Amino acid sequence: MAIRPYKGILPTVGPRVYIDEAASIIGDVVIGADTSIWPMCSVRGDVNYIRIGSRTNIQDGSILHGTHDYEGVPGGWAVIVGDDVTIGHQCIIHGCTVESRCLIGMGSAILDGAVLREGVFLGAGSLVTEGKELEGGYLWMGRPAKRVRELTDEEKAWFEYSARHYVDLKNDYLK
């Protein structure tokens, strides 16, 4: 079963959402319209909540999970992902915020308290360390991620293209 409750809280799924049957969506999770979650993804809203915007795609093997409330982090860290975000294959999105119109390259990890501002392009295999804030409009890469350069107009257009492509793809799966 792809969608299941935790402690009586069932995920809320918006209209026209595709969730692959091999994905797991658990607990306090809200997913916006036209979003897609692909095979082997784990979106586990058990120790904190997860909010995913509209037209976002979370690709195969990615993990979204928060951090629980404890003395060192009152309230813990939730996961918030904006609209029109592409999260590539096998990413770890843990207790962080990814604002709208971002692209997270395959195999990247974003850790607790990190914030990616709107328009971040994070290169494949990158690591965003705890509490780091990435400014939008730039390519960030590395372990740890560093600002490489300003995005080109073509790269900025990729945010919309990727989101639109995955909306079309998930519509094929929903037919």
Side-chain angles (χ1 to χ4, degrees):
M1 182 166 47
I3 299 173
R4 57 186 192 264
Y6 177 77
K7 291 188 174 181
I9 301 172
L10 187 66
T12 301
V13 178
R16 302 172 310 280
V17 168
Y18 173 74
I19 298 172
D20 189 87
E21 63 187 29
S24 293
I25 314 300
I26 303 167
D28 191 357
V29 176
V30 176
I31 301 170
D34 284 317
T35 287
S36 56
I37 300 177
W38 296 92
M40 308 311 291
C41 287
S42 175
V43 181
R44 187 159 52 96
D46 52 5
V47 300
N48 216 317
Y49 64 88
I50 297 174
R51 301 294 180 260
I52 301 168
S54 297
R55 298 170 308 282
T56 287
N57 61 91
I58 301 171
Q59 296 174 18
D60 312 58
S62 291
I63 299 166
L64 282 71
H65 191 240
T67 300
H68 68 284
D69 172 42
Y70 66 98
E71 186 178 318
V73 181
W77 293 108
V79 173
I80 301 168
V81 178
D83 299 329
D84 302 305
V85 173
T86 292
I87 296 176
H89 306 288
Q90 293 188 327
C91 290
I92 298 171
I93 310 299
H94 201 279
C96 61
T97 297
V98 178
E99 293 183 350
S100 296
R101 296 178 37 82
C102 288
L103 193 146
I104 312 305
M106 295 181 281
S108 293
I110 307 170
L111 303 182
D112 291 357
V115 177
L116 278 62
R117 295 295 178 198
E118 183 169 344
V120 164
F121 196 132
L122 185 64
S126 294
L127 170 66
V128 181
T129 54
E130 290 185 355
K132 178 88 173 180
E133 183 173 333
L134 306 188
E135 183 181 357
Y138 293 92
L139 172 65
W140 295 78
M141 294 179 70
R143 298 184 78 79
K146 294 186 180 350
R147 190 168 79 182
V148 175
R149 61 172 171 74
E150 197 168 339
L151 294 176
T152 65
D153 289 339
E154 183 177 278
E155 289 166 330
K156 290 176 185 175
W158 190 255
F159 297 125
E160 183 182 334
Y161 170 81
S162 182
R164 189 176 61 245
H165 166 72
Y166 268 89
V167 167
D168 291 343
L169 184 60
K170 67 93 184 158
N171 287 340
D172 287 344
Y173 276 78
L174 288 173
K175 287 182 184 172

